[in-house]
Amino acid sequence: MINLINLLEVNDIYKTHMNLSIMGNMQNVLHLSLFFAIILLVLFGIANVWIFTKKKDLGLTESCILKKIRNITIIKLRIFTKLFWCEFYKLMIINKVWIILLLFIIFQIYSLSNVNSNLSFNENMYINYMKTFSGELTDEKEKIITKEQEKFEKARNAIENIEEKVQKGEISREEAIRYKEPYHEVLNAEEIFLRIIEQYEHIKENPKAEFVYDTGYKELLRSNKNAFLENDIYLIIMAEIVFSAIFVMEYKTGMNKILNTTPKGKEATAKAKIKVCLITSIIIFMISIIPEMIKIGQMYGFHNITASITSIPNFSNLYSGISILGFIIINYLTRLIIFINIVLVILWISVKLKNITYTILVTSSILLIPILAAQIGIKFLNMISIDRTLNLSKILLMDGNLKWLYIIIPITLRYI
């Protein structure tokens, strides 16, 4: 995936000391960029003045072939008699939102195709362990755990015995290193096996829990720090681009004055616009979450997804009757509801400001800047970051009663 957050965490050295070799001479990229930007600005300025003074009629001629191509109609346009379809046409065709959605789909496909699905050595070892232990705890699995613990204990004792022989002078340090190698190889798996032990102890305390390969689920449910944070940013950016103009366009054309004179014009038009925005927001939401699920499926799979959500230690306090699949659905439904509320807030701001640029600036200040600022070290902005509100797991994993505000506030905004 393309992760914008990584760009914020790049070391300053790499930001200011990237060079290009031009005929054997090292040139700073920043200086070259500024140089060519100034040259292009001057050239375009001169060209603009020359064209305006020499050729004031800037109309472009169109060839016969282009005219014939333009007149080809695959879909016959119709006159819409219902406000909903009229507003849908205005949003998708006049405002070119269909192009934005298409570009977003292409961007998501590109991001998904460039995902690094190679797992680390430790993660592959953990998967192999979980192939044996996945599911309910049984007597056979307990015996395997005991056997593995004994194996690690024997390896540690063997290393201690070798070290004692070195101290007594019975063997040299070089010989000791050679003798310890096979035991160190055994102990390399101990750190990974501790994750199995943690799940084992968790299951002993929670009888309805099971062994679950939880790496992918933790990322999908965003219990890991910054998991899919870039997707939250993409959602907000898409909402700002798509929905900032839908009410403003009536004020730009003066159509709002005509609508205000009709008995139901203003109210009925506003309701139609909101319905169109809600449907479009669902489309944007689906384009956003499908790559997440595909990525997790490709990298980790969905093993034992019907197990209780309490099988994942982070969510041990939840109701055990909810499965992992059920909680994933609840998590994404909550995310959709919050996203729709964000869209409604953007629409409300656009109505108040009646300006696309101001709407984008204000909504970015409220929704985007706290997320980005928190990533560059201003941690207290996490408290007001919309990133937490978008993700149910992050709310539930918060300490204290403050977490309920992140649930109550978006719900109350719906009725304001």
Side-chain angles (χ1 to χ4, degrees), residues 71 137 142 166 179 190 263 279:
N71 292 330
L137 177 63
E142 286 195 273
V166 173
Y179 294 151
E190 185 179 25
I279 293 173

Side-chain angles (χ1 to χ4, degrees), residues 15-16 18-20 22 27-42:
K15 286 183 179 178
T16 56
M18 292 186 297
N19 300 318
L20 291 176
I22 300 178
Q27 300 294 333
N28 188 282
V29 172
L30 179 59
H31 295 163
L32 285 174
S33 301
L34 290 174
F35 173 76
F36 285 112
I38 293 170
I39 294 297
L40 289 174
L41 183 63
V42 172

Side-chain angles (χ1 to χ4, degrees), residues 73-91:
T73 55
I74 299 174
I75 300 175
K76 187 177 180 180
L77 296 177
R78 52 170 290 187
I79 299 174
F80 297 105
T81 57
K82 292 187 177 181
L83 270 176
F84 173 83
W85 292 110
C86 182
E87 294 299 332
F88 187 80
Y89 176 82
K90 287 163 63 178
L91 179 68

Side-chain angles (χ1 to χ4, degrees), residues 152-375:
F152 295 135
E153 187 63 30
K154 288 179 181 178
R156 281 194 296 271
N157 292 336
I159 291 174
E160 290 177 3
N161 292 334
I162 294 171
E163 192 62 33
E164 287 178 3
K165 290 181 180 180
V166 173
Q167 297 297 329
K168 292 177 181 179
E170 296 178 5
I171 59 174
S172 66
R173 178 62 65 181
E174 290 75 15
E175 290 176 317
I177 293 172
R178 188 170 65 254
Y179 294 151
K180 287 179 181 178
E181 282 182 3
Y183 300 110
H184 281 306
E185 290 180 2
V186 172
L187 291 176
N188 283 338
E190 185 179 25
E191 182 180 353
I192 306 304
F193 192 73
L194 288 176
R195 296 171 69 179
I196 305 296
I197 297 298
E198 289 176 3
Q199 285 207 35
Y200 170 68
E201 293 173 351
H202 175 70
I203 292 170
K204 298 288 283 185
E205 297 176 0
N206 300 270
K208 292 190 177 181
E210 301 178 17
F211 285 103
V212 171
Y213 178 47
D214 56 355
T215 304
Y217 295 134
K218 285 181 178 179
E219 188 166 350
L220 191 65
L221 294 171
R222 291 169 166 78
S223 60
N224 294 336
K225 183 182 178 182
N226 292 342
F228 290 117
L229 179 61
E230 67 275 10
N231 282 13
D232 296 343
I233 296 174
Y234 300 153
L235 266 181
I236 295 170
I237 292 174
M238 283 295 296
E240 290 180 350
I241 294 173
V242 171
F243 302 116
S244 292
I246 189 166
F247 277 100
V248 175
M249 63 188 302
E250 309 291 358
Y251 292 93
K252 288 178 67 177
T253 59
M255 183 59 67
N256 64 304
K257 297 178 181 178
I258 298 175
L259 293 174
N260 291 339
T261 61
T262 59
K264 295 183 178 179
K266 185 177 181 181
E267 182 180 349
T269 303
K271 288 181 179 179
K273 287 179 182 292
I274 291 173
K275 288 178 182 178
V276 170
C277 289
L278 294 181
I279 293 173
T280 307
S281 64
I282 293 173
I283 295 172
I284 294 172
F285 183 78
M286 295 305 297
I287 297 172
S288 173
I289 68 169
I290 288 175
E292 294 180 7
M293 296 181 179
I294 294 175
K295 176 189 174 184
I296 295 300
Q298 288 178 342
M299 293 186 65
Y300 308 107
F302 298 101
H303 305 284
N304 203 11
I305 197 170
T306 57
S308 171
I309 186 62
T310 57
S311 301
I312 302 176
N314 297 28
F315 305 102
S316 59
N317 294 328
L318 298 181
Y319 173 57
S320 60
I322 302 174
S323 66
I324 296 174
L325 175 61
F327 187 71
I328 290 173
I329 293 172
I330 293 171
N331 188 71
Y332 275 111
L333 285 176
T334 305
R335 182 175 171 81
L336 175 59
I337 292 169
I338 300 302
F339 179 60
I340 288 174
N341 277 276
I342 290 173
V343 171
L344 293 176
V345 169
I346 292 173
L347 293 176
W348 180 78
I349 292 174
S350 69
V351 170
K352 296 297 180 182
L353 297 180
K354 301 178 180 61
N355 184 287
I356 298 174
T357 304
Y358 292 161
T359 300
I360 293 176
L361 289 175
V362 171
T363 52
S364 296
S365 301
I366 297 172
L367 303 174
L368 280 178
I369 291 178
I371 297 176
L372 300 176
Q375 298 306 309

